[in-house]
Amino acid sequence: MERPLQPGGTIGILGGGQLGRMSAIAARRLGYKVRTFDPSAGACAAAIADEHVTADWSDTAALTRFAQGCGRVTLEFENIPPATVEFVAKSVPCHPSASVLATCQNRRREKEFLRASGIPCANFAVVSSLAELQAAVKSIGFPCVLKTADFGYDGKGQVKLPTAEADLAAAWAKIGGAVGVLEAWVPFQMEISVLVARTVDGRTAVYDPAENIHRNHILHLSLSPARIPAATADEARALALSIAEKIQLVGLLAVEMFVQDGRIVVNELAPRPHNSGHQTFDANETSQFEQHVRAVCGLPLGGTKPLAPSAMVNLLGDVWRNGQEPDWTKVLADPSAKLHLYDKGQAAPGRKMGHITVTAPNLEEAMRRAEALHAAL
Ligand code: AMP
């Protein structure tokens, strides 16, 4: 059995984005040394790391250098080639595994895993040609949504097919004509997500569901805990735990779900910290980033309880009007608002640059204040 990696050791993080940056902050607070690996020299996690390796995912010499001296390796980005993780795992324990990553990064494998595991998900069919798509819409029905199997996130690589009048050839061309998944449209009332952590020896910790509100397919607001009945929250947590067990997760997993008529339909899995869990940094006993570190290192897992109702609002590049740095004092003037900026440099529209978390005595107030701070920028 793998021994825990105690604070003082070195953690390697594959990927250098904001999720890696915040995991690195949590790891350093615990006294770990941190090494990051990313194809970009300017990756925002690099500023927090003791060392940063800039190289391509397939550069085995660089991966060997990166892994040397690491006691554990993890990842923060879903589209890393599983072969990279497999290569690193030959010399250092790497969590999550290449197989968990391969399942979660491809919608076909993900859906097939969910269906085979008896987890409720939208009805779907795998399609690899226009003819198969034409046949699949007949069995799935309208409305439905066609998604690419690979590299989909934040609504990218998706086409909604509302009615039988939809142009299937155009939809097929739009997703690039590769393998796709045709999914029944779920008329949900709410989108929620649940974070679950699991260690190599099977210990688990699960968070309350967060309620997610999107704008232009990108997460805008995340409210915690979600405004759902206790029984629905229990079902959501139980499903997340069951998925973690069945996929043999080691690390942290975010499970995105739809709530439809009080029942849960699982949409997507992300085996890493998640945007909808950022409020845990300021509003829960243990942040998702520290939990991620604890889980991959085999440490005792931390408590997950919310300390207060919270609202997290994303700061996209759009907030930098004409490239001007916003007046952050407007946020900092609110005594219970926490500002997180990722130091990414160039602010492009839609680019996740930071977030604000507001805690309050109730969720409505937290939400109102978070929206007001966002609007004031
Ligand atoms: P995804 O990239 O699969 O997470 O999808 C992005 C967003 O599209 C989700 O957060 C939903 O708002 C919406 N969506 C995706 N799949 C479905 C579906 N089967 N039914 C209804 N809405 C969906």
Side-chain angles (χ1 to χ4, degrees):
M1 184 54 96
E2 190 179 293
R3 303 239 325 258
L5 179 72
Q6 297 266 358
T10 300
I11 301 176
I13 303 177
L14 294 166
Q18 68 267 20
L19 302 174
R21 178 183 170 96
M22 290 184 272
S23 294
I25 289 171
R28 291 196 68 146
R29 197 171 77 166
L30 280 168
Y32 286 99
K33 303 214 177 325
V34 177
R35 211 174 272 179
T36 47
F37 186 106
D38 195 276
S40 161
C44 71
I48 309 296
D50 297 87
E51 285 173 75
H52 178 69
V53 178
T54 308
D56 193 77
W57 300 120
S58 59
D59 185 338
T60 50
L63 286 167
T64 302
R65 249 188 304 126
F66 164 76
Q68 232 157 41
C70 283
R72 216 57 112 235
V73 168
T74 186
L75 53 89
E76 62 96 49
F77 172 62
E78 219 159 308
N79 287 328
I80 296 169
T84 300
V85 174
E86 233 157 57
F87 179 82
V88 172
K90 282 187 202 149
S91 54
V92 189
C94 192
H95 304 304
S97 65
S99 112
V100 168
L101 182 64
T103 301
C104 298
Q105 71 183 196
N106 175 282
R107 288 190 207 277
R108 175 193 187 158
R109 285 192 287 270
E110 186 175 76
K111 287 279 181 197
E112 286 174 342
F113 159 76
L114 292 171
R115 185 184 265 171
S117 308
I119 303 290
C121 60
N123 192 16
F124 72 94
V126 176
V127 290
S128 45
S129 66
L130 177 57
E132 283 183 19
L133 173 61
Q134 284 158 342
V137 291
K138 295 206 175 86
S139 64
I140 303 285
F142 293 94
C144 53
V145 52
L146 178 64
K147 303 181 177 181
T148 50
D150 281 315
F151 303 118
Y153 68 98
D154 286 346
K156 291 195 174 61
Q158 292 196 17
V159 192
K160 189 178 176 185
L161 304 170
T163 65
E165 274 68 59
D167 185 344
L168 298 186
W172 183 244
K174 188 162 175 214
I175 71 154
V179 177
V181 172
L182 183 74
E183 257 180 55
W185 188 256
V186 180
F188 59 81
Q189 287 86 38
M190 189 187 283
E191 294 191 71
I192 61 169
S193 50
V194 177
L195 289 163
V196 57
R198 186 172 177 277
T199 57
V200 76
D201 53 353
R203 289 172 289 114
T204 56
V206 66
Y207 289 76
D208 284 340
E211 174 179 340
N212 301 324
I213 299 164
H214 296 85
R215 265 191 200 167
N216 303 323
H217 299 288
I218 301 176
L219 184 69
H220 171 59
L221 259 186
S222 188
L223 310 176
S224 177
R227 293 170 292 179
I228 49 176
T232 312
D234 287 347
E235 189 191 338
R237 276 190 300 264
L239 280 171
L241 282 166
S242 158
I243 291 168
E245 210 59 59
K246 287 187 167 129
I247 207 167
Q248 286 292 291
L249 170 78
V250 179
L252 188 74
L253 178 80
V255 184
E256 294 179 26
M257 309 172 180
F258 301 131
V259 182
Q260 185 202 356
D261 303 329
R263 300 311 309 254
I264 305 286
V265 178
V266 171
N267 177 35
E268 261 209 317
L269 311 177
R272 50 162 175 80
H274 195 259
N275 195 170
S276 67
H278 288 0
Q279 64 277 9
T280 59
F281 228 145
D282 303 302
N284 290 69
E285 286 177 319
T286 308
S287 78
Q288 64 164 344
F289 305 103
E290 181 175 332
Q291 201 74 289
H292 175 204
V293 169
R294 288 180 182 229
V296 300
C297 292
L299 298 179
L301 295 176
T304 59
K305 277 203 223 64
L307 304 173
S310 64
M312 186 281 315
V313 64
N314 264 338
L315 298 172
L316 303 183
D318 313 61
V319 172
W320 277 248
R321 289 178 225 287
N322 307 318
Q324 287 283 325
E325 193 75 18
D327 178 3
W328 300 119
T329 60
K330 291 178 183 165
V331 178
L332 298 169
D334 182 322
S336 67
K338 296 288 179 194
L339 176 65
H340 297 251
L341 294 172
Y342 310 146
D343 190 21
K344 280 183 162 180
Q346 196 62 37
R351 190 170 194 211
K352 292 175 181 172
M353 302 294 289
H355 68 269
I356 302 167
T357 299
V358 175
T359 50
N362 62 67
L363 204 55
E364 277 64 32
E365 186 183 328
M367 177 164 64
R368 189 174 45 71
R369 296 220 321 261
E371 284 281 37
L373 291 173
H374 182 261
L377 288 173

